[in-house]
Amino acid sequence: MGNQGSAANISVVGFDSAWTDNPKAPGAICVIRVDSHGARLHMEPRLASFSEAAALIQAERREAGKCLVALDQPTIVPNRSGSRPVDKVAGALISWVGGGVQPANRSKLGMFDDAAPIWHFKQALGATEDPEAARTASAGLFLIEVFPALALVAIESAYCKRLGAPKYNPANRRMFNLGHWHAVAETIRTFGSLRALEQLELWRLDVSANLMPKKADQDKVDAMICGLIGLHWLVAPREESIMIGDLNNGYMIAPAVNGIHERLVTAARKRNVPVR
């Protein structure tokens, strides 16, 4: 992996990849650093392609003893069609609150086919994909899959009700709600405050001041959620996070600060999918 620095003991990279490598619609990335002085938002979310994200992550790896990449995109997709078991489990809760889970399978060209950018990205990183090892290791580069929509429902009880999901995607102008946009920013600030994350309030103020957000702005918001999920996974008590699925068929990491929702447990049992 090369020479690792010690400026930050831990670096958490939140990456909303946008799933495809479209130059006109890149993903977004942010960096949280943790050292003896606490946690701080080192780099506010900015737009980034897969290659730009890979370069930034490798740079972070040189600055931190341990680096965790929390990626909003399926990272293990063995199925040729349909959706993964973990997608169905997450969908049991997300559809109830009024959201959706895009099925992941290898027939989706540009997303999960053999030539898709996600596989080149993973190969370029050379990260260890083992969520439990990421928690316990003292050093190394790790990758986990996360899902911001599931995280929001898990950390804000107001969203965890029938059709209660926030409508904060500006690309869907018919459904978009500016009040929900502000509420999501506040939810993120509250979640970050659990870990005493410095600089987050300044970022939230900028987000809330944006009265005409675009899809790229939502990607940045989701990148921040990714980073906070990763930070939470590393530093919060294990029982406050969940891992749905496994490393063979696909999985997701999500916070569980209010416990594991019964809909997830029921859906997982029906499909023999582990939730822990």
Side-chain angles (χ1 to χ4, degrees):
M1 285 293 184
N3 182 40
Q4 286 84 49
S6 58
N9 295 329
I10 299 173
S11 178
V12 180
V13 178
F15 182 31
D16 174 18
S17 67
W19 291 32
T20 61
D21 214 7
N22 182 353
K24 295 182 179 180
I29 195 167
C30 71
V31 177
I32 297 169
R33 286 187 178 178
V34 186
D35 57 25
S36 59
H37 300 292
R40 67 186 182 280
L41 180 56
H42 175 71
M43 188 187 80
E44 292 189 359
R46 63 178 64 170
L47 298 180
S49 65
F50 275 100
S51 61
E52 290 168 339
L56 187 148
I57 292 164
Q58 295 295 359
E60 280 301 301
R61 181 69 183 100
R62 292 189 289 271
E63 295 292 325
K66 180 161 76 172
C67 181
L68 174 67
V69 180
L71 174 64
D72 177 16
Q73 178 168 358
T75 58
I76 296 174
V77 185
N79 48 303
R80 303 305 304 180
S81 61
S83 58
R84 305 176 302 166
V86 63
D87 299 330
K88 293 183 174 69
V89 173
L93 177 57
I94 295 301
S95 62
W96 179 67
V97 301
V101 178
Q102 186 173 174
N105 62 66
R106 298 299 287 254
S107 70
K108 293 201 167 189
L109 299 180
M111 292 184 181
F112 302 110
D113 62 287
D114 290 346
I118 180 62
W119 313 130
H120 298 295
F121 174 75
K122 286 184 64 175
Q123 184 176 24
L125 282 190
T128 299
E129 190 160 11
D130 185 335
E132 295 295 347
R135 283 180 55 84
T136 59
S138 58
L141 175 61
F142 298 89
L143 173 69
I144 60 173
E145 177 186 332
V146 300
F147 186 21
L150 184 59
L152 286 173
V153 174
I155 62 183
E156 176 48 69
S157 58
Y159 304 145
C160 196
K161 61 183 180 182
R162 177 68 176 158
L163 302 180
K167 306 302 181 185
Y168 72 107
N169 180 359
N172 188 342
R173 282 295 171 187
R174 186 177 65 85
M175 298 293 293
F176 177 75
N177 185 306
L178 186 60
H180 290 188
W181 173 265
H182 292 150
V184 166
E186 176 58 22
T187 297
I188 294 171
R189 187 200 65 78
T190 302
F191 186 41
S193 70
L194 294 176
R195 308 273 71 87
L197 183 63
E198 296 180 1
Q199 307 301 322
L200 187 60
E201 173 62 12
L202 294 175
W203 173 83
R204 184 198 67 83
L205 290 173
D206 287 341
V207 171
S208 295
N210 186 352
L211 301 182
M212 295 185 65
K214 295 178 169 47
K215 182 62 175 70
D217 297 312
Q218 189 219 353
D219 293 338
K220 294 176 184 178
V221 165
D222 283 348
M224 178 63 77
I225 299 173
C226 291
L228 288 174
I229 299 170
L231 178 65
H232 189 78
W233 176 255
L234 291 184
V235 303
R238 177 62 180 86
E239 63 270 16
E240 290 186 10
S241 292
I242 57 172
M243 177 176 173
I244 308 169
D246 57 52
L247 298 177
N248 294 317
N249 300 299
Y251 70 96
M252 293 176 187
I253 299 297
V257 291
N258 298 312
I260 303 175
H261 196 279
E262 61 183 20
R263 288 179 179 271
L264 291 176
V265 176
T266 300
R269 286 174 178 165
K270 284 181 179 179
R271 297 168 176 83
N272 293 317
V273 175
V275 176
R276 56 188 185 276

